[in-house]
Amino acid sequence: MPRKPHTMAVREAIAAKLGIKTSRIYARAAGLAARAQTSTEDGLYLLAAQNQIRLNKYLPAKKVTEIRNLLFQLAPEAQTVEASPRAARASVGKSVTLTIGRALTAVDPLLPTRTLAEAKQMAEEVYPLLYVFENSARTLVARVLRARHGSDWWESRVPERIRNVVKLRKDDEAKNPWHGKRGASQISYTDLEQLGSIVQSNWGDFKAIFPTLNWLTQRLAEIAQSRNPVAHMNPVKKQDANRIRLYVKDWQELMTARREVIPHID
């Protein structure tokens, strides 16, 4: 079977960036695929994403989101904050280095070790869960409403007040055209509270998926309480991080159990 054109384009982009042969590219892709429990083709896209190759140039927005979610699910390798207790008391000019995962290193001469340790915890334990949960919720809403109401579901099924907020956010974004966009669709500009309102307005389309509307709105509200501090670069308490972990696990188990009634959009 011939390879898909976009797969070949991604492979060529990886080869150009890394300077390695096709056989080596597919060996790395296979390794990533095995870790993420996905196909070798997706492993190729994961390899591209790991190396900051913009998948939006080659793949549909839905596939890009799926690959990003898989990338965040890959277990980060344990790293340590490279600073001694003495560094926490260091004066301005004594930089502390923080390594997250494999590639991201942050150095700051002002912050104490405690703050950088919080950054590491948010990046490795909390942010990926919030990222996966929020994008999974968006994907679910879009799939269900598109399957039930067609391609114009955004205009016909989303409350006007939410559509107006999203339009304002997109208009503000358009003022800085050199900056990357949040996403390819309007739902990428929604937050958790708005997603809950969309589901509530279309409860008949979702009641076969969720135990009750209250089950969903409670979790969205509590996760949003933790999401907002993280989005504003603040840490969350351990008990809040544990709650996020539990709610995301609940969500993943529910989505797995309801796979048969969740529409699949090609």
Side-chain angles (χ1 to χ4, degrees):
M1 178 185 294
R3 293 191 182 94
K4 298 176 183 178
H6 54 253
T7 305
M8 296 176 64
V10 172
R11 184 199 67 203
E12 290 169 1
I14 294 171
K17 184 151 191 177
L18 302 184
I20 58 178
K21 296 180 179 179
T22 298
S23 59
R24 184 61 182 150
I25 290 173
Y26 278 103
R28 290 191 184 183
L32 287 171
R35 288 173 56 199
Q37 297 184 340
T38 188
S39 65
T40 301
E41 182 178 334
D42 282 357
L44 185 71
Y45 303 149
L46 284 168
L47 180 60
Q50 274 193 341
N51 288 279
Q52 290 76 52
I53 292 171
R54 296 190 61 181
L55 292 177
N56 288 324
K57 292 173 58 178
Y58 309 100
L59 304 175
K62 177 190 169 187
K63 189 64 177 178
V64 173
T65 298
E66 180 184 329
I67 295 303
R68 286 172 178 167
N69 289 345
L70 283 174
L71 189 61
F72 274 106
Q73 290 178 51
L74 292 178
E77 293 191 356
Q79 300 286 343
T80 58
V81 178
E82 298 174 8
S84 65
R86 186 177 177 183
R89 301 186 298 273
S91 60
V92 174
K94 196 84 170 181
S95 297
V96 178
T97 300
L98 167 69
T99 301
I100 298 171
R102 287 186 174 183
L104 179 59
T105 299
V107 179
D108 191 278
L110 304 178
L111 298 177
T113 304
R114 174 181 56 79
T115 302
L116 294 184
E118 291 169 349
K120 181 179 176 65
Q121 181 198 8
M122 294 302 102
E124 294 186 348
E125 298 180 24
V126 178
Y127 179 79
L129 292 174
L130 293 172
Y131 185 100
V132 169
F133 176 82
E134 194 163 321
N135 281 287
S136 179
R138 289 190 184 116
T139 299
L140 175 70
V141 170
R143 280 191 186 186
V144 170
L145 293 182
R146 180 178 173 186
R148 303 283 193 272
H149 304 285
S151 58
D152 65 342
W153 64 269
W154 179 260
E155 295 296 329
S156 65
R157 305 306 302 180
V158 175
E160 183 179 9
R161 61 184 173 79
I162 295 177
R163 287 188 278 117
N164 289 340
V165 170
V166 166
K167 184 178 184 305
L168 287 174
R169 288 172 178 169
K170 294 190 73 173
D171 289 345
D172 284 344
E173 187 179 79
K175 296 174 184 176
N176 301 290
W178 58 87
H179 196 280
K181 298 184 183 300
R182 282 200 205 187
S185 62
Q186 289 97 328
I187 201 165
S188 299
Y189 295 80
T190 56
D191 56 33
L192 290 174
E193 180 184 3
Q194 291 162 345
L195 290 172
S197 295
I198 294 172
V199 171
Q200 186 171 8
S201 298
N202 298 275
W203 178 242
D205 296 322
F206 291 92
K207 64 182 181 181
I209 298 173
F210 296 108
T212 64
L213 179 60
N214 185 62
W215 184 96
L216 174 67
T217 55
Q218 177 192 1
R219 280 158 177 76
L220 290 178
E222 293 200 29
I223 288 180
Q225 285 292 315
S226 296
R227 178 208 186 274
N228 294 336
V230 174
H232 290 88
M233 307 304 143
N234 290 298
V236 296
K237 294 181 179 179
K238 184 176 180 179
Q239 65 194 50
D240 297 324
N242 289 339
R243 186 182 303 110
I244 293 169
R245 216 171 279 117
L246 176 62
Y247 281 176
V248 171
K249 184 174 183 293
D250 287 346
W251 175 271
Q252 291 171 338
E253 289 181 353
L254 181 65
M255 294 303 104
T256 300
R258 298 290 193 266
R259 276 183 301 189
E260 296 302 319
V261 297
I262 297 174
H264 178 74
I265 304 297
D266 294 325

